[in-house]
Amino acid sequence: MEVQASARNINGSARKVRLILERLPGLSVDQALALLRYVPSPHARDVSKVVLSAASNAENNLNLDVDNLYIKRAFADEGVTVKRYKARSRGRAAPRLRRHNHITVVLDEREG
């Protein structure tokens, strides 16, 4: 039975988060959290929160054993892009795009 958790409007571009998420499918929850603990990216903390949330959803809502769960899918979608401007020389303005993303993790139960 699939269990899902998502976090919406997280700071950072989806492209950078996808670099972390592409390592996760196929790993158990414990293995994924151990891997995320040592990834040298500030976005790994947000991903680990979503993995923990999905594991909690499985345990509390569906009474599944967390030890039998593995990450089936993990993906990040583009969120809102907030447009800001920074002052530059000669009275000009340079655009700054503050990107956000939506992180989704899908867990499934191992057979046997």
Side-chain angles (χ1 to χ4, degrees), residues 75-91:
F75 54 93
D77 296 325
E78 297 268 340
V80 180
T81 299
V82 180
K83 296 176 175 97
R84 298 285 184 255
Y85 293 96
K86 183 173 182 179
R88 305 305 286 176
S89 64
R90 299 182 185 178

Side-chain angles (χ1 to χ4, degrees), residues 11-12 76 80 96 109:
N11 285 332
V80 180
R96 295 286 187 251
E109 198 170 19

Side-chain angles (χ1 to χ4, degrees), residues 1-7 27 29 49-75 103-111:
M1 175 173 281
E2 289 187 358
V3 182
Q4 172 175 315
S6 63
L27 295 178
V29 174
K49 285 183 180 181
V50 178
V51 172
L52 281 172
S53 176
S56 295
N57 289 345
E59 185 177 18
N60 295 324
N61 298 341
L62 301 175
N63 297 323
L64 297 176
D65 186 16
V66 179
D67 296 332
N68 292 335
L69 296 176
Y70 73 99
I71 297 178
K72 186 173 185 178
R73 284 180 289 151
F75 54 93
I103 302 170
T104 304
V105 174
V106 179
L107 301 179
D108 201 4
E109 198 170 19
R110 289 205 191 273
E111 298 296 325

